[in-house]
Amino acid sequence: MPRDSNQLIPLDASGQPSGCNEPIFGLDAAALTARMEALGEPAWRGKQIAEALYDQWVRDISGITTLPKSLRQRLASEGWQVARPVIANVFQSADGTERYLIEFPGLIGKGETAEAVWMPEGDDGEAGDGSAEEAKDWRRATVCVSSQLGCAVNCQFCLTAKLGLQRNLTAGEIAGQVIAVLERHAVRVGRDRVNLVFMGMGEPFLNYDNFMAAVRLLVNEVGLSPQRMTVSTSGVVPGIERFAQEPPGLRPKLAISLNSPNDAVRAEIMPINRKWPIASVIEAVRSVQLRPRERVTFEYVLLGGVTDLPEHARDVARLVRRSGLSAKVNLIAWNPGPGIEFSTPKPEAVERFRSELAGEGIPAYVRQPRGRDIFAACGQLKRTIEG
Ligand code: SAH
Ligand code: SF4
C-alpha cells in the first residue's frame, strides 16, 4: 500500500504541514528554488542546495557550505533535513557483487529496507577469487536499485513477490539508493563507466511518477546519462505507453520481462499476463521511439523444463521477428529461492537456447548470475539477512 508521503511531516494546529520536516533529498532544483523564495531568500539559493545535494552529496544541512551559516541554522531549526537513504547492511559475494539493505532516515528501525546491488565488472562476469583487491579493481560496474518495497505482480518464480507490495518508494528514496552506492564506491560521475538498472524490488511502471521523477533527478541534477540506464517492466501496458511519451533525452532504455512466448504459459508464471497479454505488450513497446542504435531488451528467465526447450526458443524468435522491433534477448537461468518450486536449467540447455535464437538471427546473450551466494541475483531480493 502506498505510504502517505505526508506521514513524516509534523502538522500544525490547523492540520497543515509545519516547517519542512520532509526530506529535501528528492526535491529538484525548481522545487528547492520555490522553497527558498517562500522563505524570502534569493532564488539561486535553491540551485546551491541542489548542487550540494546532487553534486557534492552532502548529508546534512550544515554541510551546505555555499549557504551562509545563519541560513543553515535557520533551516535546521525549522526542521529542514537532507534525510538521504543510507546503507544499513552490506552482503559481499565471492564474485565481487555487493547487496545492500538501505534504510530511510525518519523510518530507521521500522524494518523497512530497500535493496540495491553493486556488480563490478572487469572479470567478464566469471566468479573471482573474492579477494579484497579484486573487489576494488573494477573498470565498469552496474548498480541495480529498487522502485518499490516488495511487489504486487506476483510472478511465480520471483522471491520479491513473496513480500507482496509494502509501499511505493518516493523519488528521493529511489535516487538516494543510487547515490548511496555511488558514494560507497567513490564513483566519479561522467568519468567512470557505471550502468544503472531499475531491476531491483518492485515494478517500476506501477510506481511510474516516482520512478520517472527519480530518473529526472539522476539525469538533470546528478548528471548520469539516461543511455546508461535500463528500466525493466513485467509488462504494464499503460506504463509503457506513458514511457513512450517521455523525451528521448530523459528516458532510460527499456527491458521487457517476456519469460515465455506463449500466453497460456506466461499467464501461469506471470499473472499480469491475464490483464496485459503478450500482443498488447508488444504493441505498446512499438510505440516507443527508439534512439539510433537503441534496442529493446527482452529478458527471458529460463525455468528448467518449463520455458527452456528449443521450441520455446523458436517461438521467441518468431515473436521478436514479427514485432519488427530492434531487439535483443537476455537469457537468465532461474535463480533459486526458498519456497519456490522451479528448477535451474542445465548449462547445456541455456547454451542450446541461446544458439537456437542466434541461429534464427536474434541476438541473444546469457546473463551470468551475480551474487547468488548472497541472494543478490535477479529475483532474489527479499531482505534475506541470513548469509
Ligand atoms: N519487476 C520488474 C523489474 C525487476 S525483476 C520486472 O519484473 O521486469 C528483474 C528481472 O529478474 C526480470 O526480468 C524478472 O523476470 C527476473 N527474475 C525474477 N525472478 C527471477 C529468478 N528467480 N531468477 C532469474 N531471474 C528472475
Ligand atoms: Fe515483481 Fe518483477 Fe518479481 Fe515479477 S519479477 S514479482 S514484477 S519484481
Side-chain angles (χ1 to χ4, degrees), residues 46-372:
K47 184 81 190 143
Q48 287 178 318
I49 300 177
E51 279 167 9
L53 293 179
Y54 305 117
D55 294 339
Q56 293 150 30
W57 302 344
V58 302
R59 291 161 187 246
D60 298 298
I61 298 287
S62 62
I64 311 178
T65 50
T66 45
L67 300 184
K69 200 161 180 201
S70 56
L71 178 56
R72 279 180 270 160
Q73 283 168 343
R74 176 181 173 197
L75 296 178
S77 71
E78 290 183 11
W80 286 57
Q81 45 183 307
V82 172
R84 198 177 83 198
V86 290
I87 294 175
N89 241 317
V90 180
F91 302 91
Q92 289 177 308
S93 163
D95 71 12
T97 299
E98 290 186 342
R99 178 169 66 99
Y100 311 105
L101 300 191
I102 298 194
E103 283 189 336
F104 307 109
L107 297 166
I108 289 177
K110 296 246 165 74
E112 281 199 345
T113 48
E115 306 219 357
V117 181
W118 164 261
M119 290 164 277
E121 282 159 61
D123 57 1
D124 288 334
E126 298 295 327
D129 66 5
S131 70
E133 283 304 317
E134 183 175 276
K136 279 195 194 121
D137 181 22
W138 55 276
R139 260 168 283 152
R140 56 201 195 96
T142 302
V143 176
C144 174
V145 297
S146 297
S147 56
Q148 298 180 308
L149 296 185
C151 185
V153 178
N154 203 19
C155 302
Q156 299 298 295
F157 46 80
C158 173
L159 205 50
T160 304
K162 302 264 180 203
L163 291 171
L165 176 63
Q166 296 170 339
R167 68 172 176 90
N168 283 331
L169 294 175
T170 64
E173 289 169 340
I174 298 171
Q177 295 168 61
V178 179
I179 301 300
V181 177
L182 296 184
E183 184 182 52
R184 174 175 169 86
H185 294 281
V187 170
R188 297 159 305 170
V189 172
R191 290 174 67 191
D192 293 325
R193 285 188 65 191
V194 174
N195 294 317
L196 173 58
V197 296
F198 297 93
M199 299 189 187
M201 288 202 285
E203 169 47 63
F205 284 3
L206 290 179
N207 184 19
Y208 190 88
D209 290 328
N210 289 334
F211 153 69
M212 267 313 294
V215 169
R216 284 192 290 272
L217 273 180
L218 292 165
V219 173
N220 295 336
E221 314 286 350
V222 179
L224 298 176
S225 163
Q227 314 221 32
R228 289 190 175 278
M229 300 178 186
T230 304
V231 61
S232 173
T233 178
S234 54
V236 178
V237 166
I240 301 170
E241 289 169 349
R242 285 186 72 185
F243 187 74
Q245 305 301 318
E246 301 291 346
L250 262 177
R251 87 171 160 66
K253 293 185 285 185
L254 180 62
I256 303 290
S257 296
L258 180 62
N259 299 341
S260 167
N262 168 309
D263 275 321
V265 175
R266 192 167 187 270
E268 282 292 315
I269 57 175
M270 300 178 73
I272 195 171
N273 196 80
R274 297 199 186 105
K275 190 152 191 187
W276 294 299
I278 298 170
S280 67
V281 174
I282 301 282
E283 194 52 38
V285 174
R286 281 158 50 92
S287 69
V288 178
Q289 221 194 331
L290 300 179
R291 293 171 282 236
R293 291 187 305 280
E294 183 178 354
R295 290 188 293 191
V296 171
T297 302
F298 287 105
E299 292 161 286
Y300 194 95
V301 180
L302 292 157
L303 304 170
V306 181
T307 61
D308 66 342
L309 305 180
E311 69 233 43
H312 299 140
R314 289 192 288 274
D315 288 347
V316 170
R318 190 171 317 121
L319 187 102
V320 173
R321 257 200 318 271
R322 283 193 185 154
S323 75
L325 290 163
S326 159
K328 64 174 167 143
V329 177
N330 273 357
L331 300 172
I332 318 168
W334 180 68
N335 296 307
I340 312 188
E341 300 290 314
F342 289 104
S343 61
T344 304
K346 296 202 173 66
E348 306 84 78
V350 177
E351 177 46 29
R352 196 179 53 199
F353 203 98
R354 190 203 61 75
S355 68
E356 197 76 50
L357 283 174
E360 300 263 350
I362 306 294
Y365 306 89
V366 177
R367 256 197 7 214
Q368 298 301 325
R370 301 296 308 266
R372 263 190 193 165

